[in-house]
Tab-separated table of all heavy atoms in Angstrom:
chain	number	residue	atom	x	y	z
A	4	ARG	N	-33.079	-3.632	21.204
A	4	ARG	CA	-32.613	-2.941	22.418
A	4	ARG	C	-33.252	-3.546	23.673
A	4	ARG	O	-32.584	-3.758	24.683
A	4	ARG	CB	-32.923	-1.457	22.314
A	4	ARG	CG	-32.483	-0.641	23.516
A	4	ARG	CD	-32.743	0.818	23.275
A	4	ARG	NE	-31.807	1.308	22.292
A	4	ARG	CZ	-30.817	2.158	22.566
A	4	ARG	NH1	-30.671	2.596	23.786
A	4	ARG	NH2	-30.014	2.553	21.638
A	5	GLU	N	-34.559	-3.832	23.593
A	5	GLU	CA	-35.248	-4.431	24.738
A	5	GLU	C	-34.757	-5.849	25.006
A	5	GLU	O	-34.565	-6.241	26.163
A	5	GLU	CB	-36.765	-4.430	24.498
A	5	GLU	CG	-37.371	-3.041	24.512
A	5	GLU	CD	-38.799	-3.026	23.982
A	5	GLU	OE1	-39.171	-3.900	23.164
A	5	GLU	OE2	-39.550	-2.121	24.384
A	6	LEU	N	-34.527	-6.607	23.942
A	6	LEU	CA	-33.994	-7.963	24.101
A	6	LEU	C	-32.610	-7.935	24.747
A	6	LEU	O	-32.314	-8.730	25.637
A	6	LEU	CB	-33.918	-8.675	22.743
A	6	LEU	CG	-35.218	-9.223	22.188
A	6	LEU	CD1	-35.021	-9.671	20.743
A	6	LEU	CD2	-35.695	-10.392	23.035
A	7	LYS	N	-31.779	-7.012	24.295
A	7	LYS	CA	-30.437	-6.886	24.883
A	7	LYS	C	-30.520	-6.523	26.356
A	7	LYS	O	-29.780	-7.061	27.179
A	7	LYS	CB	-29.622	-5.824	24.133
A	7	LYS	CG	-29.104	-6.266	22.800
A	7	LYS	CD	-28.287	-5.139	22.201
A	7	LYS	CE	-27.678	-5.517	20.883
A	7	LYS	NZ	-26.894	-4.421	20.311
A	8	ALA	N	-31.398	-5.612	26.705
A	8	ALA	CA	-31.543	-5.204	28.104
A	8	ALA	C	-31.965	-6.389	28.966
A	8	ALA	O	-31.454	-6.582	30.075
A	8	ALA	CB	-32.541	-4.057	28.227
A	9	GLU	N	-32.877	-7.207	28.455
A	9	GLU	CA	-33.323	-8.390	29.199
A	9	GLU	C	-32.182	-9.393	29.348
A	9	GLU	O	-31.948	-9.926	30.439
A	9	GLU	CB	-34.514	-9.030	28.492
A	9	GLU	CG	-35.070	-10.234	29.214
A	9	GLU	CD	-36.303	-10.786	28.521
A	9	GLU	OE1	-37.260	-10.010	28.319
A	9	GLU	OE2	-36.290	-11.984	28.183
A	10	MET	N	-31.457	-9.653	28.254
A	10	MET	CA	-30.318	-10.572	28.321
A	10	MET	C	-29.251	-10.046	29.279
A	10	MET	O	-28.650	-10.811	30.038
A	10	MET	CB	-29.713	-10.774	26.928
A	10	MET	CG	-30.556	-11.585	25.993
A	10	MET	SD	-29.750	-11.700	24.361
A	10	MET	CE	-30.889	-12.777	23.530
A	11	ARG	N	-29.014	-8.741	29.235
A	11	ARG	CA	-28.024	-8.126	30.126
A	11	ARG	C	-28.397	-8.381	31.582
A	11	ARG	O	-27.572	-8.823	32.380
A	11	ARG	CB	-27.929	-6.625	29.840
A	11	ARG	CG	-26.914	-5.888	30.690
A	11	ARG	CD	-26.887	-4.391	30.383
A	11	ARG	NE	-26.502	-4.136	29.002
A	11	ARG	CZ	-27.306	-3.619	28.070
A	11	ARG	NH1	-28.560	-3.269	28.383
A	11	ARG	NH2	-26.893	-3.431	26.846
A	12	ARG	N	-29.642	-8.100	31.935
A	12	ARG	CA	-30.100	-8.300	33.321
A	12	ARG	C	-29.942	-9.762	33.745
A	12	ARG	O	-29.418	-10.055	34.824
A	12	ARG	CB	-31.571	-7.886	33.467
A	12	ARG	CG	-31.799	-6.397	33.634
A	12	ARG	CD	-33.244	-6.092	34.015
A	12	ARG	NE	-34.217	-6.582	33.046
A	12	ARG	CZ	-34.581	-5.931	31.936
A	12	ARG	NH1	-34.042	-4.763	31.657
A	12	ARG	NH2	-35.480	-6.441	31.127
A	13	GLU	N	-30.393	-10.673	32.877
A	13	GLU	CA	-30.342	-12.099	33.211
A	13	GLU	C	-28.903	-12.590	33.391
A	13	GLU	O	-28.586	-13.283	34.360
A	13	GLU	CB	-31.015	-12.921	32.114
A	13	GLU	CG	-32.511	-12.765	32.043
A	13	GLU	CD	-33.109	-13.455	30.829
A	13	GLU	OE1	-32.348	-13.985	29.976
A	13	GLU	OE2	-34.351	-13.469	30.721
A	14	ARG	N	-28.029	-12.245	32.466
A	14	ARG	CA	-26.656	-12.767	32.505
A	14	ARG	C	-25.838	-12.128	33.613
A	14	ARG	O	-24.996	-12.783	34.228
A	14	ARG	CB	-25.981	-12.602	31.150
A	14	ARG	CG	-26.654	-13.407	30.050
A	14	ARG	CD	-26.742	-14.873	30.430
A	14	ARG	NE	-27.792	-15.535	29.683
A	14	ARG	CZ	-28.071	-16.821	29.754
A	14	ARG	NH1	-27.383	-17.604	30.559
A	14	ARG	NH2	-29.041	-17.329	29.041
A	15	LEU	N	-26.083	-10.850	33.888
A	15	LEU	CA	-25.368	-10.225	34.996
A	15	LEU	C	-25.837	-10.787	36.333
A	15	LEU	O	-25.031	-10.941	37.263
A	15	LEU	CB	-25.511	-8.706	34.953
A	15	LEU	CG	-24.752	-8.013	33.827
A	15	LEU	CD1	-24.981	-6.513	33.863
A	15	LEU	CD2	-23.261	-8.331	33.865
A	16	ALA	N	-27.113	-11.143	36.443
A	16	ALA	CA	-27.611	-11.775	37.667
A	16	ALA	C	-26.928	-13.131	37.871
A	16	ALA	O	-26.550	-13.479	38.997
A	16	ALA	CB	-29.126	-11.928	37.618
A	17	LEU	N	-26.752	-13.891	36.791
A	17	LEU	CA	-26.049	-15.172	36.897
A	17	LEU	C	-24.594	-14.959	37.297
A	17	LEU	O	-24.054	-15.695	38.134
A	17	LEU	CB	-26.127	-15.937	35.570
A	17	LEU	CG	-27.498	-16.490	35.192
A	17	LEU	CD1	-27.466	-17.059	33.773
A	17	LEU	CD2	-27.935	-17.555	36.190
A	18	ARG	N	-23.952	-13.954	36.706
A	18	ARG	CA	-22.560	-13.661	37.059
A	18	ARG	C	-22.459	-13.228	38.518
A	18	ARG	O	-21.561	-13.670	39.239
A	18	ARG	CB	-21.999	-12.574	36.134
A	18	ARG	CG	-20.499	-12.353	36.295
A	18	ARG	CD	-20.007	-11.243	35.392
A	18	ARG	NE	-20.319	-9.940	35.986
A	18	ARG	CZ	-20.053	-8.775	35.402
A	18	ARG	NH1	-19.499	-8.744	34.209
A	18	ARG	NH2	-20.354	-7.632	35.992
A	19	ASP	N	-23.375	-12.377	38.956
A	19	ASP	CA	-23.373	-11.915	40.342
A	19	ASP	C	-23.535	-13.068	41.323
A	19	ASP	O	-23.078	-12.985	42.468
A	19	ASP	CB	-24.499	-10.897	40.579
A	19	ASP	CG	-24.263	-9.568	39.881
A	19	ASP	OD1	-23.129	-9.292	39.446
A	19	ASP	OD2	-25.250	-8.804	39.755
A	20	ALA	N	-24.213	-14.137	40.906
A	20	ALA	CA	-24.483	-15.271	41.793
A	20	ALA	C	-23.264	-16.178	41.992
A	20	ALA	O	-23.283	-17.043	42.867
A	20	ALA	CB	-25.660	-16.080	41.248
A	21	ILE	N	-22.205	-15.990	41.208
A	21	ILE	CA	-21.002	-16.807	41.379
A	21	ILE	C	-20.316	-16.382	42.683
A	21	ILE	O	-20.048	-15.194	42.886
A	21	ILE	CB	-20.030	-16.630	40.190
A	21	ILE	CG1	-20.698	-17.043	38.873
A	21	ILE	CG2	-18.749	-17.433	40.416
A	21	ILE	CD1	-19.871	-16.692	37.636
A	22	ALA	N	-20.036	-17.342	43.540
A	22	ALA	CA	-19.373	-17.046	44.813
A	22	ALA	C	-17.988	-16.460	44.541
A	22	ALA	O	-17.324	-16.844	43.564
A	22	ALA	CB	-19.243	-18.318	45.640
A	23	PRO	N	-17.535	-15.511	45.375
A	23	PRO	CA	-16.232	-14.868	45.146
A	23	PRO	C	-15.074	-15.861	44.985
A	23	PRO	O	-14.214	-15.670	44.124
A	23	PRO	CB	-16.040	-13.986	46.383
A	23	PRO	CG	-17.431	-13.678	46.834
A	23	PRO	CD	-18.231	-14.916	46.531
A	24	GLU	N	-15.034	-16.923	45.783
A	24	GLU	CA	-13.948	-17.902	45.672
A	24	GLU	C	-13.988	-18.611	44.319
A	24	GLU	O	-12.959	-18.834	43.687
A	24	GLU	CB	-14.036	-18.945	46.800
A	24	GLU	CG	-13.975	-18.369	48.189
A	24	GLU	CD	-15.319	-17.809	48.683
A	24	GLU	OE1	-16.384	-18.112	48.099
A	24	GLU	OE2	-15.284	-17.018	49.652
A	25	GLU	N	-15.186	-18.962	43.873
A	25	GLU	CA	-15.357	-19.615	42.580
A	25	GLU	C	-14.986	-18.661	41.450
A	25	GLU	O	-14.347	-19.049	40.467
A	25	GLU	CB	-16.800	-20.107	42.429
A	25	GLU	CG	-17.048	-20.880	41.152
A	25	GLU	CD	-18.495	-21.325	41.000
A	25	GLU	OE1	-19.325	-21.097	41.912
A	25	GLU	OE2	-18.804	-21.886	39.926
Side-chain angles (χ1 to χ4, degrees):
R4 180 176 289 249
E5 291 168 333
L6 282 170
K7 284 182 178 180
E9 182 177 305
M10 289 178 176
R11 181 181 298 113
R12 279 190 302 276
E13 290 172 355
R14 296 305 158 177
L15 289 179
L17 290 172
R18 189 182 79 183
D19 290 345
I21 300 171
E24 301 81 16
E25 184 182 357

